[in-house]
Amino acid sequence: MVNLEWYRTFKAIYKTGTLTGAAGALFISQPGVSLHLSSLESYVGYKLFDRTGRKMIPTERGKVLFNALVEPLTKLEEIEKNFQQSTEKHTPTISVGMCFETFQITLEQYVSTLPFNLIISFGEYPEMLDQLEKGILDLIITPKKGVSPNIEHEAFSCENIVLVGGKDIDLKAFKDVHKTKNRTKIELWLKQHKWYGTTGDMEHLFQFWSLNFGKKPDFRPNYIVPNLNSIVRCLSGGSGLAVIPDFLCHDEIQSGEIQLVWEGDKKLKNTLYFGTRKKTTHNQEINHIKDLFKKVMS
């Protein structure tokens, strides 16, 4: 089935004469415009534009399609405009991508107070970067910067990746082993315990282990749970070890429900970034969400 956004993009290219002009008119990236056009051309089965330098010259079939399309599409846009004026004029919708755990710790508590509509999306960071560039997402929270010239990144926080354990872990025993500075003994002590991990992300454990022992761990966690917040709750039961970002368990460490076992002799840190498109109509709403994140993670 054809996507209505392909027709919008086709009309914008036809009227502006360039991919860049269409991207500016639609507030999406130029690669997004190219993707829409190539998808529409594949769908209809013929070229709609001849590319002459930077100009997009409509083919004869492109002209026929435009003439057939422009009136009904204009009517649809008018209907949409009138609908938005009556229902969404003062409540824009913002789409934000982040990992599930970050949402629970930061934004979840403020959702009911937001003066605008919100759509939260969870996914892998490369996928979220791609969706941001295509205009599907308006803001992402990510520890990895993309390279697109259409996206800007703003560092706002730094998380430490640490080794934590349940309250029944013998912290003194670990400290005694650690004092020997014998990597083999430290590693053996750690592997004697039960470990927690998540289905989607072993990267924290791999990076922490590689940084401090010079190799990847040669074991798999004993318990695989849905997410990092689940790990924190499981560890609160008394025993076990896990490597997770410190901001996810700050309160539990302070209350004594779990223990900070080891920050690592070589500390593993991740910088967190806000990712946004350089051209957006939702600066006010995006800044509102940014302020909430800075408040929680300061």
Side-chain angles (χ1 to χ4, degrees):
M1 181 179 292
V2 70
N3 188 326
L4 181 60
E5 293 305 314
W6 299 350
Y7 285 142
R8 290 183 194 269
T9 302
F10 167 72
K11 177 184 173 185
I13 298 171
Y14 195 101
K15 288 200 164 187
T16 63
T18 66
L19 297 178
T20 302
L26 297 171
F27 293 101
I28 63 176
S29 68
Q30 186 171 320
V33 169
S34 297
L35 178 62
H36 286 181
L37 177 58
S38 63
S39 299
L40 181 58
E41 288 180 329
S42 295
Y43 181 80
V44 299
Y46 48 77
K47 286 180 62 177
L48 298 173
F49 295 96
D50 288 320
R51 294 152 177 81
T52 306
R54 295 185 179 181
K55 291 290 290 182
M56 303 292 287
I57 308 299
T59 63
E60 289 303 314
R61 288 189 172 184
K63 292 176 183 177
V64 171
L65 178 61
F66 179 80
N67 290 333
L69 178 68
V70 64
E71 185 176 347
L73 185 58
T74 299
K75 287 182 178 179
L76 280 173
E77 289 173 341
E78 283 296 322
I79 292 171
E80 183 183 47
K81 181 179 178 182
N82 291 333
F83 177 78
Q84 285 179 330
Q85 286 177 343
S86 61
T87 63
E88 293 192 1
K89 184 175 181 181
H90 301 297
T91 53
T93 298
I94 306 301
S95 297
V96 182
M98 68 187 78
C99 74
F100 178 75
E101 296 89 348
T102 299
F103 171 71
Q104 283 195 314
I105 295 295
T106 56
L107 197 57
E108 186 178 54
Q109 60 188 304
Y110 295 108
V111 168
S112 63
T113 70
L114 296 176
F116 46 83
N117 298 327
L118 179 70
I119 300 173
I120 295 294
S121 177
F122 306 123
E124 300 295 325
Y125 296 121
E127 178 187 5
M128 289 195 290
L129 282 165
D130 183 58
Q131 291 180 341
L132 176 64
E133 185 166 19
K134 290 177 179 177
I136 299 171
L137 296 174
D138 300 298
L139 169 69
I140 63 173
I141 314 302
T142 173
K144 298 179 180 179
K145 296 172 67 174
V147 295
S148 170
N150 303 307
I151 296 176
E152 57 186 5
H153 293 83
E154 175 191 347
F156 71 94
S157 183
C158 184
E159 60 182 13
N160 297 307
I161 311 302
V162 297
L163 174 66
V164 295
K167 60 177 178 290
D168 294 338
I169 291 292
D170 189 345
L171 195 57
K172 181 180 182 302
F174 173 75
K175 290 180 177 179
D176 289 342
V177 173
H178 182 256
K179 286 178 183 177
T180 67
K181 298 184 179 181
N182 185 312
R183 292 292 166 195
T184 301
K185 289 184 178 180
I186 297 172
E187 192 176 9
L188 286 173
W189 190 93
L190 293 173
K191 290 194 292 185
Q192 288 174 1
H193 294 78
K194 300 292 187 180
W195 280 80
Y196 287 87
T198 65
T199 53
D201 183 16
M202 295 294 177
E203 187 175 354
H204 290 145
L205 173 59
F206 290 165
Q207 288 183 339
F208 186 90
W209 208 269
S210 296
L211 191 62
N212 285 281
F213 295 106
K215 59 182 179 180
K216 290 185 177 181
D218 58 358
F219 66 93
R220 302 290 292 179
N222 305 88
Y223 308 117
I224 303 296
V225 298
N227 56 67
L228 295 175
N229 289 333
S230 297
I231 289 179
V232 175
R233 289 191 290 271
C234 290
L235 289 177
S236 298
S239 62
L241 297 171
V243 174
I244 60 175
D246 59 352
F247 82 92
L248 291 178
C249 55
H250 176 270
D251 291 345
E252 288 79 5
I253 291 175
Q254 292 297 312
S255 66
E257 294 177 60
I258 66 175
Q259 300 184 81
L260 174 59
V261 177
W262 189 29
E263 292 183 318
D265 293 333
K266 295 180 180 178
K267 295 185 179 181
L268 177 59
K269 295 179 178 290
N270 277 339
T271 300
L272 295 178
Y273 300 92
F274 296 125
T276 56
R277 289 187 304 283
K278 291 181 179 179
K279 292 184 179 180
T280 177
T281 58
H282 299 305
N283 282 315
Q284 182 176 348
E285 291 78 20
I286 289 172
N287 287 334
H288 186 110
I289 294 176
K290 286 181 177 180
D291 289 341
L292 292 176
F293 268 91
K294 292 173 182 176
K295 176 181 177 181
V296 172
M297 303 185 72
S298 60

